[in-house]
Amino acid sequence: MADAGRASRGPRGITVLGATGSIGVSTLDVVARHPDRYRVRALTAHRDVEGLLAQCRRFRPELAVMADAGQAATLADALAGEGIDTRVAGGPEGLLEAAALPDAELVMAAIVGAAGLAPTLAAVRAGKRVLLANKEALVMSGALFMDEVRRHDAVLLPIDSEHNAVFQAMPAGFRPGRTPEGVRRVLLTASGGPFRDTPVEALARVTPDEACAHPNWDMGRKISVDSATMMNKGLEVIEACWLFGLPAEQVQVVLHPQSVIHSMVDYVDGSVVAQLGNPDMRTPIAHALAWPERIDSGVQPLDLVTVGRLDFEAPDPVRFPCLRLAYEAWAAGGTAPALLNAANEVAVAAFLDGMLDFPGIPGVIEDTLAALPPVTADSLDTVLAADREARERARDLVVARQRRSAS
Ligand code: NAD
Ligand code: MG
């Protein structure tokens, strides 16, 4: 077991996949508060050489990986120039090596999007304690992913604030991948993002920066847009079904604009158990790092009097079609969630690049799903083929929409 006998050993090794991103930086912030408990073994980034170099200076990992292999030599030269003896690797192989590094017992999976699937699975197969932020990996390949968790006796701990909250509110002894006893529903809270009150007709004119200006959370740009469309919540519904062994009918979304209740578990006896806290990802990160113990995260204590009130409402299906698309993909099963995820990644990237308007995001996803019937997700190759096919189709649809709006 990856978790046996912690107290008898020194600091535990940790690898951070996606170290330069929003979750990666928050993870290192918590880790740095506890040098007695954690030692950074490997760090990875996509293209941000300066960001990874600064982290190597501070944490002195044994391995640093640039996912963009072309940047590895630049990092290696810079490290050598400063006399830092961190080994550098590059490309997909480097990510896999970091994920399975023998000296790291914990792996933070915080690469964004489908790019995180292979390294996250590698960490699972190496039997690590996997702190899962990369929800896209689970959405794409949930059945295979959870099988691998069981087969390799990996410990999977949710970082997504909602799923971490649900995990904290689950019956004692519950482990992700099993089905809990006595649970009627899981209630995922959603802020509604920056466009919760924007007139629906005005959504065609919103800009990427407006979409990324989340009212409560400071996050990477892709997940910020996902929050604005509520595809983020749709992906989280699918994520919850896999993590908590529940059908989608038992996973319900509630709008809660203050983002103070991070999610709830509704039990058959009428009890509803919630986890509350300030909206700061260092709380779920610290929870998963130390679980089942508790450590300081640097997060301010929650002041409920300042918060004042907690509001709830049902999500508006006209404003947020992505939520419906995600439930439909879950119901269709097989490769449908992988198709949904891939089409979403392409549509969000096109929106961020100014090639697609905001309502075009659900439009492209819906048209992609309509064009590509799902098949049984019986192997990773099948899932990756669906991912590729949906990306191609979604790119074509983006171009077709651009042509239409230009003419
Ligand atoms: P981000 O964009 O800030 O960071 C992404 C990280 O992944 C960076 O280190 C980047 O270098 C790396 N990366 C990007 N593309 C890559 C590629 N092709 N290959 C290898 N590495 C690549 O994203 P984030 O907001 O930190 O989100 C990371 C993950 O955590 C996402 O799956 C997101 O859904 C999830 N998550 C984030 C938050 C949050 O508050 N930011 C909350 C819940 C879940
Ligand atoms: Mg979340």
Side-chain angles (χ1 to χ4, degrees), residues 38-130:
Y38 308 107
R39 171 142 172 57
V40 175
R41 296 293 186 180
L43 297 172
T44 84
H46 189 206
R47 299 201 178 101
D48 181 4
V49 172
E50 280 305 315
L52 199 57
L53 176 62
Q55 291 180 341
C56 288
R57 269 186 211 118
R58 180 155 182 217
F59 293 99
R60 306 287 168 132
E62 62 185 70
L63 177 65
V65 179
M66 296 305 303
D68 180 349
Q71 305 286 335
T74 316
L75 179 67
D77 289 348
L79 287 167
E82 296 187 26
I84 298 170
D85 66 354
T86 295
R87 187 161 58 83
V88 176
E93 292 305 314
L95 293 177
L96 299 182
E97 189 191 348
L101 203 68
D103 285 349
E105 203 180 314
L106 291 81
V107 175
M108 168 57 80
I111 292 173
V112 60
L117 175 58
T120 305
L121 265 182
V124 166
R125 288 177 176 144
K128 304 294 189 189
R129 175 190 278 220
V130 179

Side-chain angles (χ1 to χ4, degrees), residues 150-286:
R150 283 182 278 270
R151 181 169 312 141
H152 297 280
D153 207 10
V155 177
L156 189 62
L157 297 171
I159 293 298
D160 217 343
S161 58
E162 297 75 4
H163 306 73
N164 184 272
V166 169
F167 179 51
Q168 294 197 43
M170 277 287 176
F174 173 80
R175 296 287 175 276
R178 301 187 196 155
T179 297
E181 297 284 327
V183 169
R184 183 187 287 142
R185 290 177 306 174
V186 158
L187 298 169
L188 298 182
T189 51
S191 68
F195 306 137
R196 187 170 51 89
D197 299 318
T198 307
V200 175
E201 322 76 70
L203 291 178
R205 294 186 300 278
V206 300
T207 65
D209 284 344
E210 285 165 348
C212 291
H214 196 280
N216 307 333
W217 297 95
D218 181 9
M219 310 181 285
R221 281 171 85 78
K222 190 263 177 181
I223 185 177
S224 295
V225 177
D226 285 349
S227 298
T229 61
M230 276 190 85
M231 180 56 91
N232 183 49
K233 213 51 52 178
L235 300 177
E236 290 181 357
V237 168
I238 297 173
E239 184 185 11
C241 292
W242 289 120
L243 288 174
F244 307 124
L246 296 171
E249 302 74 58
Q250 282 172 264
V251 181
Q252 198 178 322
V253 174
V254 183
L255 279 198
H256 164 48
Q258 291 88 1
S259 298
V260 164
I261 296 182
H262 298 307
S263 279
M264 297 168 260
V265 178
D266 178 2
Y267 285 91
V268 290
D269 63 3
S271 301
V272 177
V273 180
Q275 185 259 2
L276 288 73
N278 285 318
D280 187 322
M281 289 306 293
R282 291 177 300 174
T283 294
I285 290 167

Side-chain angles (χ1 to χ4, degrees), residues 114 117 136-145 334-335 337-339 342 375-390:
L117 175 58
E136 295 92 343
L138 194 55
V139 168
M140 290 174 72
S141 67
L144 298 163
F145 193 101
T335 52
L339 297 168
V375 298
T376 308
D378 49 8
S379 72
L380 198 55
D381 285 345
T382 315
V383 170
L384 294 175
D387 176 81
R388 273 194 304 274
E389 206 183 358

Side-chain angles (χ1 to χ4, degrees), residues 8 153 192 228 345 362 372:
S8 59
D153 207 10
E345 287 191 28
L372 302 175

Side-chain angles (χ1 to χ4, degrees), residues 400-407:
R401 276 171 183 262
Q402 269 186 309
R403 288 218 186 93
R404 238 181 296 147
S405 64
S407 62

